[in-house]
Amino acid sequence: MQKLTNKEEEVMHILWRLKKAFVKDVLAEISDDKPHYNTLSTIIRNLEEKGYVSYEAYGNSHQYYPIVTLEEYRKTFMKTAIQHYFDNSYKNLVSYFAEEEKISAAELREILSIIEQKK
């Protein structure tokens, strides 16, 4: 699975939320730094080439839909991030967030509870 640019990820999140959309529908969902219609169309075609989206043709229009789920992308992204930034260690990942004060002791206890329930 190829890495997506920030703009491609933004478009994918819109498509995951909408399920199916024409370029104009995606454009309407972008609030900040709206690209030109043709630029957005190119981004979506790039996503198609990368194997993330497909489309149904309606004359000259295309209605796009994701063929990679958010969960599939999340798993791949997280696996890669943990390998590259945390030495393939979930402990290092959690420690990082604890040290940066992005996760509280209460949240850590909740995570431990979830882990213990799964055993």
Side-chain angles (χ1 to χ4, degrees):
M1 192 175 295
Q2 286 184 314
K3 177 89 173 91
L4 299 180
T5 66
N6 290 340
K7 213 40 143 169
E8 288 171 338
E9 275 191 5
E10 181 182 2
V11 170
M12 283 304 300
H13 281 283
I14 292 168
L15 287 172
W16 284 319
R17 189 173 65 253
L18 296 179
K19 310 277 190 263
K20 287 185 174 187
F22 294 96
V23 174
K24 67 179 178 65
D25 301 325
V26 175
L27 189 60
E29 295 290 315
I30 298 174
S31 55
D32 296 333
D33 197 23
K34 272 192 194 283
H36 186 275
Y37 181 94
N38 291 340
T39 302
L40 180 57
S41 182
T42 299
I43 291 168
I44 294 174
R45 281 195 312 275
N46 288 342
L47 287 167
E48 181 190 357
E49 288 175 17
K50 289 181 177 183
Y52 282 85
V53 301
S54 190
Y55 65 87
E56 292 177 14
Y58 296 96
N60 291 333
S61 294
H62 295 125
Q63 186 179 40
Y64 294 93
Y65 57 91
I67 54 176
V68 171
T69 67
L70 174 59
E71 186 59 32
E72 289 170 326
Y73 185 72
R74 181 183 305 151
K75 282 181 182 178
T76 299
F77 173 76
M78 289 305 298
K79 182 179 178 182
T80 302
I82 291 166
Q83 285 173 344
H84 289 120
Y85 299 107
F86 300 101
D87 297 324
N88 213 24
S89 167
Y90 288 90
K91 182 181 110 181
N92 290 347
L93 171 73
V94 174
S95 295
Y96 169 79
F97 287 112
E99 289 169 9
E100 293 293 317
E101 298 179 9
K102 304 287 186 196
I103 191 168
S104 68
E107 289 169 320
L108 285 171
R109 283 191 289 277
E110 187 178 333
I111 291 169
L112 285 173
S113 175
I114 291 168
I115 292 169
E116 289 174 1
Q117 288 175 5
K118 292 198 178 218
K119 288 184 179 180

